[in-house]
């Protein structure tokens, strides 16, 4: 197969997109041949604001049903592929929306939430994020992990502190993930994961989605799609070809105000970090350029079988394990 044919034939999954929701994004997803994506509907929001986000997102999906469909099961992912549409998985980047109510976990599952990050950068009732001293998984957090296992929501540890992450990995009876991270072996950064952390999650049946967010890449805004491919390869050498996938962290369509919200605790309080200028790697600036990644991986010598796994098959396998369907 040619690179274009292989991309068109493959299941292509992005494990994390936090781009601006609109028809332009959905059209770009179709241009990029995206089969499904974990799309963020909650970061700092509590229960009610997250419900409002889901209502708005469901409306947008319904109004653009020629391009996208909602995803609650891996069968829905395959359905999206068959229909030539993109499946939308609702995901949280913070467990804050659960507030202190364990029962909210199942409610959100019923609304289509399939992946929840335990903390976003700072402390919450579950545990600690990567930008402050890590107190580990709380007693309530252990209950949340158990309930997420029971109802079938994947635990995401991308922005989570090292100790809390380790304790979630050990506590969970289902595979957990770093949906979007990079190796600190290529660049030291609070958001990147050490070789030991990557090996630990893989050794315990977990999964790693590799991001291309420029501030975490070694060459920053001067990075290219080959630099992104190098990060994928570095990670795959540690976790193996069955535990790796894509999690771009696409933010396209958002302005500076959005990044200010992300980089302040709770969206408004103390500054946690500063990203500076953000430009995605040359060759994959937008979701619509996804086919270039398949071509790049092939050019770098990876067999079709492995490229299919990286581009989406591995995500389907691990999600089926967690979701149970």
């Amino acid at each position: 197969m040619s690179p274009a044919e292989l991309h068109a034939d493959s299941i292509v999954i992005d494990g994390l997109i936090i781009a601006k929701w609109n028809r332009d994004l959905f059209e770009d997803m179709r241009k990029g041949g995206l089969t499904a994506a974990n799309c963020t509907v909650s970061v700092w929001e509590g229960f009610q604001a997250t419900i409002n986000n889901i209502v708005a997102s469901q409306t947008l999906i319904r109004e653009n049903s020629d391009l996208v469909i909602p995803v609650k099961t891996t069968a829905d992912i395959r359905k999206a592929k068959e229909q030539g549409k993109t499946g939308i998985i609702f995901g949280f980047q913070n467990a804050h929306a659960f507030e202190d109510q364990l029962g909210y976990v199942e409610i959100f599952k019923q609304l289509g939430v399939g992946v929840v990050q335990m903390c976003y950068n700072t402390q919450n009732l579950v545990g600690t994020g990567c930008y402050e001293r890590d107190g580990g998984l709380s007693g309530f957090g252990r209950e949340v992990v158990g309930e997420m296992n029971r109802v079938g929501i994947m635990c995401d540890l991308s922005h989570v502190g090292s100790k809390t992450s380790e304790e979630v990995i050990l506590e969970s009876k289902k595979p957990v993930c770093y949906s979007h991270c990079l190796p600190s072996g290529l660049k030291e950064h609070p958001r990147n994961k050490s070789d030991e952390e990557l090996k630990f999650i893989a050794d315990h049946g977990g999964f790693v989605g590799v991001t291309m967010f420029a501030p975490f890449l070694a060459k920053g805004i001067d990075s290219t799609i080959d630099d992104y491919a190098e990060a994928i390869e570095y990670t795959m050498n540690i976790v193996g070809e069955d535990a790796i996938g894509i999690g771009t962290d696409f933010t396209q369509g958002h302005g500076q105000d959005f990044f200010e919200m992300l980089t302040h605790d709770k969206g408004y309080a103390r500054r946690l970090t500063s990203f500076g200028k953000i430009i995605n790697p040359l060759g994959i600036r937008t979701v619509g350029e996804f086919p270039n990644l398949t071509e790049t991986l092939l050019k770098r010598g990876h067999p079709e079988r492995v490229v299919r796994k990286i581009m989406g098959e591995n995500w389907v396998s691990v999600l089926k394990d967690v979701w149970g369907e």
Side-chain angles (χ1 to χ4, degrees):
M1 284 188 178
S2 70
E5 289 169 337
L6 180 64
H7 188 83
D9 191 59
S10 298
I11 287 179
V12 179
I13 296 181
D14 193 333
L16 198 288
I17 288 183
I18 190 171
K20 189 170 184 177
W21 288 75
N22 53 33
R23 186 171 177 87
D24 288 345
L25 174 64
F26 296 155
E27 288 176 342
D28 217 29
M29 286 176 167
R30 293 315 313 138
K31 179 183 176 184
L34 205 56
T35 310
N38 167 26
C39 297
T40 301
V41 292
S42 184
V43 181
W44 297 116
E45 294 91 340
F47 179 82
Q48 185 61 60
T50 299
I51 290 290
N52 294 345
N53 287 347
I54 290 174
V55 169
S57 300
Q58 286 179 327
T59 300
L60 197 59
I61 290 170
R62 186 170 62 251
E63 290 173 347
N64 293 276
S65 59
D66 58 320
L67 297 173
V68 292
I69 65 170
V71 165
K72 292 187 177 182
T73 66
T74 51
D76 291 334
I77 294 175
R78 299 193 185 280
K79 178 180 172 184
K81 182 66 179 177
E82 291 165 7
Q83 294 183 357
K85 298 178 181 179
T86 299
I88 304 297
I89 304 161
F90 288 159
F92 294 176
Q93 291 216 49
N94 201 340
H96 184 60
F98 295 153
E99 298 184 353
D100 60 356
Q101 301 296 316
L102 200 61
Y104 288 175
V105 176
E106 186 168 20
I107 294 300
F108 280 120
K109 171 65 176 180
Q110 291 169 348
L111 293 176
V113 176
V115 182
V116 169
Q117 186 166 251
M118 310 312 289
C119 318
Y120 188 77
N121 294 338
T122 60
Q123 183 82 40
N124 64 17
L125 295 178
V126 167
T128 313
C130 61
Y131 282 109
E132 60 184 338
R133 186 180 62 181
D134 192 345
L137 187 64
S138 69
F140 176 66
R142 293 180 192 281
E143 291 185 292
V144 169
V145 171
E147 185 68 354
M148 287 171 66
N149 283 175
R150 184 184 75 81
V151 305
I153 297 177
M154 191 171 205
C155 299
D156 183 359
L157 304 170
S158 303
H159 288 249
V160 178
S162 181
K163 184 177 180 183
T164 300
S165 294
E166 179 181 343
E167 293 181 357
V168 171
I169 292 166
L170 294 174
E171 184 72 21
S172 181
K173 304 296 190 291
K174 297 281 185 72
V176 304
C177 72
Y178 296 127
S179 69
H180 58 300
C181 76
L182 280 165
S184 57
L186 292 179
K187 181 178 181 178
E188 195 62 44
H189 191 284
R191 265 283 282 112
N192 291 351
K193 308 299 179 182
S194 69
D195 291 4
E196 292 75 20
E197 287 172 314
L198 294 170
K199 187 174 188 304
F200 189 80
I201 196 171
D203 286 349
H204 289 80
F207 190 87
V208 180
V210 183
T211 186
M212 57 173 204
F213 193 61
F216 311 151
L217 285 164
K219 295 181 183 176
I221 60 173
D222 296 321
S223 301
T224 69
I225 195 168
D226 276 293
D227 296 310
Y228 181 35
E230 179 190 10
I232 293 169
E233 292 160 356
Y234 183 101
T235 305
M236 185 164 63
N237 284 336
I238 296 170
V239 305
E241 66 180 52
D242 295 320
I244 192 162
I246 304 302
T248 62
D249 207 5
F250 264 118
T251 57
Q252 73 189 62
H254 285 300
Q256 187 59 34
D257 287 352
F258 174 77
F259 293 104
E260 289 298 310
M261 181 271 291
L262 291 183
T263 54
H264 285 77
D265 188 27
K266 310 299 186 290
Y268 64 85
R270 72 184 188 278
R271 176 173 287 283
L272 302 169
T273 187
S274 182
F275 293 142
K277 194 173 184 180
I278 297 169
I279 302 175
N280 290 330
L282 181 65
I284 190 163
R285 299 270 202 238
T286 65
V287 180
E289 292 186 298
F290 243 101
N292 293 346
L293 184 55
T294 296
E295 181 177 9
T296 298
L297 291 171
L298 288 170
K299 280 183 176 178
R300 292 173 70 93
H302 299 284
E304 288 186 6
R305 173 186 60 81
V306 173
V307 173
R308 285 181 186 273
K309 285 184 176 185
I310 296 169
M311 295 304 293
E313 284 184 1
N314 285 341
W315 264 122
V316 175
S317 296
V318 75
L319 288 173
K320 187 169 186 178
D321 197 353
V322 174
W323 293 350
E325 53 191 358

